[in-house]
Amino acid sequence: MSFADESQNSAPDNAPASKLGGARKGAEPGQNAAKRLQTELMQLMTSPAPGVSAFPSADGNLLSWRATIEGPEDTPYSGLTFKLSFEFPSNYPYAPPTVLFRTPIYHPNVDFSGRICLDILKDKWTAAYNIQTVLLSLQSLLGEPNNASPLNGEAAELWDNDPTLFKTKVMDRHKDVEDD
Amino acid sequence: MPAAVASQWQDRQRRVFQSVFQTDVAQPTPQSNPSTLLPSPELPFGVPTTSLLGQQQQDALQSHGHPPADHHSLRRGSPEPPLQTTPAQPLFPPTAATNDQATYDRAWHVVTAHIALPSSATADDSFGMPTTTSTLAAEPQQQQPWPSSRRRGGRGRDATAPASSSSGPVSGPAPGGDFHEAFAVLANAHSLLPHAARTGDILAWHVRQVRAHFAHHVTPLLAGCVDDGGGGDGGDGDESGGDGDGSGGKMKEVDDQGRRRRRAVGVKGNGKGKGDYYERHMVIVMSSIRTLEGALRLYFYGLHQLLSGFARLADVAPEAARDAELLNARFRRDLHALVGGSVPAGLIRSVKAVLVRLAGTILGIPSPVEVGGGRAARPAPPGSDDLKVQAARERLAELVQQLQNVGLAGERFQVLFAEVMDTMMSNFVIGAYAGVWSAPDTRSFSATMDSVSRGAPLSTASPCIMSLNDWVENHFARLSFEVLACISGNPQGPLPVSLADLKMYQSLALGRLAALRIQELFDIVLAWPASRPALEDLRATITTAARRKQLTNSFSRALQTRLLHPGCSTLEILQTYISIIRTLHALDPSKVLLSRVEPGLRLYLCQREDAVRVVVAGLLASPDEMRAARKVKEVWRQQRDEASQATSRRRDHNNPFATPGMPGPSSPGTPQPRAAHRGFAARTDTTPSHTPVPTTPSRPTLPDKPAERPSLPKKLVELALLLTNDPSQAQTRRGAATAPSSDDADLDWADPSWLPDPIDAGAHYKRPRRSEDVIGTLISALGSEDAFIKEFAAVLAERLLLPPSSSGDNPAQQRFEQELRVLELLKRRFGEASLQACDVMIRDVVDSRRVDAGISKRRERMGRESAEGMEGAEAMEMGTRDGIDYHARILSRLFWPGLEREHFLLPAVVVQQQERYEAGYEGLKSRRKLTWLNQLGQARVEIELGDRTVTVDCNPVEATVVYAFQEGGDDGGGGAVQKSVEELYEQLQMDEDLITTALQFWAGKGVLRRVPGAASSNTYVVAETLSGPATGAAAPDDTATDQPMEEEEESATAAAAGAAKQGMSAKERERRDMYWRYIQGMLTNASASMPLAQMAMMMKMLIADGFPWSNEELQDFLGEKVAGGEMEVVGGKYRLVRK
């Protein structure tokens, strides 16, 4: 059991590293997260997923990222883009990043300060997830909110009962944030 | 009666005055102005310092008991105060008290007059003023109670002066009886003259007199000596006066000689002033010594007079006589302190200069004058029979003795001597051993090397250390001993230089040597292995943690300034690195030093993109290259041997211990040894002089000078050499593989050469294996295994797909051996799994050779027995019908790095062959498919032109392009075939860049020719004949029909010859695409607009494999994007255009 866990955790870390060459310098204990994030960035750039993108923040801190999600078609969020921030712990990927919506969003599972209720960012996190999977999960969350455990009760209710009003609320709430 | 009244009145007046002014009554003679007692009427500074009133008071007060004072004032003709008249009368005071006092005073006067000093420093010295004569002239006028005393004293002094050396007991002639009477009176004043109220200590008076005299007369003279010697011949005017005095003739001669010499110097002066530097200082010192000797003679004369008085009184006052010796010694001590404390700085300088010269000669260190004279003088211990040295030794002993006698050998001299000896040691070490790494000349091992060094545990000492110890013992310590023994003046005392001192000197000298070697370490590394003896020096001297630290710090600095800069190629850096590894391993097998030095180097190597490639290429170097490199090394070694003696003084310019007196870089006249006067860092300005003497024989420093270094190794062949020749490289690893416990050297109890960990080892220090392990260290220095393996796979792929070279009977086989060796080596290091791809690659090549042969054979067989078999139906056609011999290599797609498909249309004949081959392969191995990599491979093309036939080996792209000219020729009836790039592009569907490159290739071969005419002509024509432009009428059809037998191998010349030159390879395009995605991601997420520099910085930081572009390249790239409408520049910042 423990063996399985271990291999599951370490596999995604090692496989891309060996494939892509990794950094030249030997990995020190504290550098693991940075190295992994560098590798993930490389992956994002070589095989980007449609509608999502992410990049380290402009201050050069590899543990702090900015990401963009485009609202999926056929959802109330279609045509909108949402900015997010990722803060990675130093023991990433063994702990989940802290993800916030920086763009105000009206969504059953996102509160008004941008906090997200998503199980894979909490207790269901494993090291097999990465930034891209998180972003894709969030993108799908936009289309399929988990109304069983809403952070925004009103939104959950409207989602089920009054899609038109929901859409209006979404458009009202949304506004583009400028960079800091 | 009136006299008595007057006397009483005087007495009372005196008492009143005393009560008010507290005059020291016990002071019969005014202390402040001893000159008042001097008999000379022409005193230059006889004016008393006291005010006129004070003088009057004093005179009045003393008049009664001090007739001499009165006489003085009379004789001086000073204004006569009215009070002065009274004291003239009572020569014989009426009362007992006054009588005693007068007697005492008279006696006092006799004695003091007898020992009074002349106003000159030395009456018998030519430096004195002509006072002696005037003194003598004044004698007849003296109307003193003991008129002859002064005169006799003067004569006596004159007569005995040369003989009376200042040491020893009283040696002057017995003074006259009156002196002794007077002296007896003074000495026994208490008993003989109980009523004399004011008595004094005649010795103290003498000392005071001496002090004043010294201050007033001798000190200016000394200063004059220095100025004189330093500034030229200023003080000659006062010479003549003293000449009449016949005393001290010999010394005067010496002095005059000195002065004449000095004057000569002054005349030649500016011309060769430097040459007589030492002489000049010697004159200063000698004249100062003479002056002091003269003065001291005077002082001691007085003292001896007094002491002889004591001696006579031995029966009367035994206690006074007893301490005569004591008094003598104390006087001498006081006097020496006085002299030592008032030496002018200029004299100290001169003494130093003289000392430096003499000690330099004795110790075998050439003076700067000699060096400047063009002789490449290197310090060497002088032979025992060197006359110059003996002379210098005697001269120095004499000088020190003289200095000691005049009291100049005090503390200041000792400090000076210590300084000089310290400088000497540094100069000797630097001069004798800088750049000399092997044994210096053998004469340094003098036969006298018997005592200490022999017994010392120096079994491991290198030649340099041995000779240095020998020098310290037999020359340095000996000189110290001689000088200090002279100074100490106490022969019974402890030895001035003990055995412990000698040990200390030696350890000091070794410390200097260590510092020197540390300075030189970088050159030592470069000269490895010729510099091995120097390492022995270091190893023996680097004994403390502090020195180790100094070594690593200094070496790291040297690395930064001399190696790790853009001027050095990666190859050079790696070669130096190998030398460093071996050198430091030899120095310190524990590798702690290496690990201290390495980080900077490793960090820098990480910036060098090609480092891994260079290492891999070096590992894979062919035996031919190794042989060539070895030959080059031989040549270099020879050159170095020739130049070795010339490289000696190369490090003068940053000589940390250089003192002004020693050879510096400024000395102009040494052309030959300076040729080698350069370090690594100074390359730019010394390039011209580099030719004759390569100082860094083990590695190239000037890659752009092929003429000078004809056969520079282009590869790191050292590694291949190591791999083939050095069994330790392989053995250790094999040992480690078979006996894993040998990793734990700490647990190897049976190891007899076990040593504890070095004291400066870090916390994570792990005992290394004993071998140098150059390759292993190098590989680990290059970063992660992954990067290395990746690079190795790329290089290996490249080499495996190289066309088989024509030279050698079976070179391909050989190359495989080399590659397999390296592969095995790497496997042992990294494990089988990580090198699996390389295994597969090699197997692919071997297999495909077999498969290829199999397919060909089968096709032939099929062709013969065409009834049977289904696969090989067309095999027959191959060789016969088309005249095309076609071979392929089958690569396993997953395992080969960097395989990109380049799309273009091959000539139909080749395509046919491909199809057949494919069929054959699929028959051989079912369920496998071939994908052709058309751009990789090689073709032999034979072109028949109008007047010649050209056979060229080229790559498929070029072959395809030239083949197209054959096809076009069919319709063009008359002229030669002519095609433009656009036409070819349509026909071949090939990248235009590739087409252009191929056309240029053929134009270079003379097969095609660019059509002149339109400026933007990109049309080429077949050059049927060599002469004349496109006189295409001749036989155009030949080309069309007889175009080539093509032999094409589907193999890789990965860098596709010229393709990368103009156009972009697929890889490069890929890379640009990826960078563009990075930029998009960055501008989408991180910040909507960013300046160029920040973007470049982010890219460099974030791209794992490094971002090789410069800011300018990035700017060009972004400029393209801006031009393409994908980006815009707003306020100096780039941003994406929003759609």
Side-chain angles (χ1 to χ4, degrees), chain B residues 969-1000:
Chain B
D970 291 340
D971 43 290
V977 185
Q978 153 170 346
K979 280 180 188 291
S980 69
V981 173
E982 287 75 21
E983 286 168 326
L984 287 169
Y985 177 67
E986 281 176 23
Q987 186 182 341
L988 303 175
Q989 301 180 10
M990 193 189 281
D991 193 276
E992 286 181 45
D993 295 321
L994 292 178
I995 294 174
T996 315
T997 314
L999 288 172
Q1000 279 163 353

Side-chain angles (χ1 to χ4, degrees), chain B residues 225-361:
Chain B
C225 286
V226 173
D227 291 345
D228 212 19
D233 41 8
D236 284 350
D238 55 355
E239 236 178 321
S240 54
D243 286 353
D245 186 65
S247 62
K250 188 179 122 208
M251 269 185 262
K252 238 170 68 64
E253 266 171 33
V254 172
D255 261 318
D256 285 350
Q257 273 174 10
R259 207 169 293 176
R260 240 171 276 131
R261 223 177 303 145
R262 208 162 66 216
R263 220 175 288 141
V265 171
V267 172
K268 294 189 216 162
N270 301 332
K272 61 184 287 281
K274 217 175 182 178
D276 289 324
Y277 179 77
Y278 156 74
E279 296 289 333
R280 217 167 59 224
H281 285 294
M282 193 63 180
V283 166
I284 294 176
V285 172
M286 288 319 292
S287 57
S288 302
I289 288 176
R290 297 272 181 275
T291 308
L292 285 170
E293 273 178 353
L296 259 57
R297 242 189 343 266
L298 275 183
Y299 304 157
F300 276 104
Y301 170 76
L303 180 73
H304 294 150
Q305 296 290 314
L306 297 181
L307 290 182
S308 71
F310 277 124
R312 280 183 162 240
L313 291 173
D315 43 348
V316 188
E319 73 278 0
R322 223 183 304 131
D323 46 22
E325 274 306 313
L326 192 67
L327 289 173
N328 192 12
R330 199 200 294 155
F331 183 70
R332 178 179 297 277
R333 205 181 56 222
D334 285 356
L335 209 51
H336 284 181
L338 182 65
V339 173
S342 59
V343 187
L347 180 58
I348 295 288
R349 266 201 307 279
S350 296
V351 171
K352 184 173 182 184
V354 171
L355 266 185
V356 165
R357 169 60 172 265
L358 289 175
T361 309

Side-chain angles (χ1 to χ4, degrees), chain B residues 397-409:
Chain B
E398 190 187 338
L399 179 72
V400 171
Q401 189 58 53
Q402 281 171 330
L403 288 173
Q404 163 74 9
N405 285 345
V406 300
L408 280 175

Side-chain angles (χ1 to χ4, degrees), chain B residues 537-558:
Chain B
D537 294 350
L538 260 185
R539 193 157 59 174
T541 49
I542 297 292
T543 47
T544 63
R547 277 200 197 145
R548 288 167 73 97
K549 194 152 186 291
Q550 188 193 352
L551 179 135
T552 52
N553 286 347
S554 151
F555 190 67
S556 298
R557 267 199 308 280

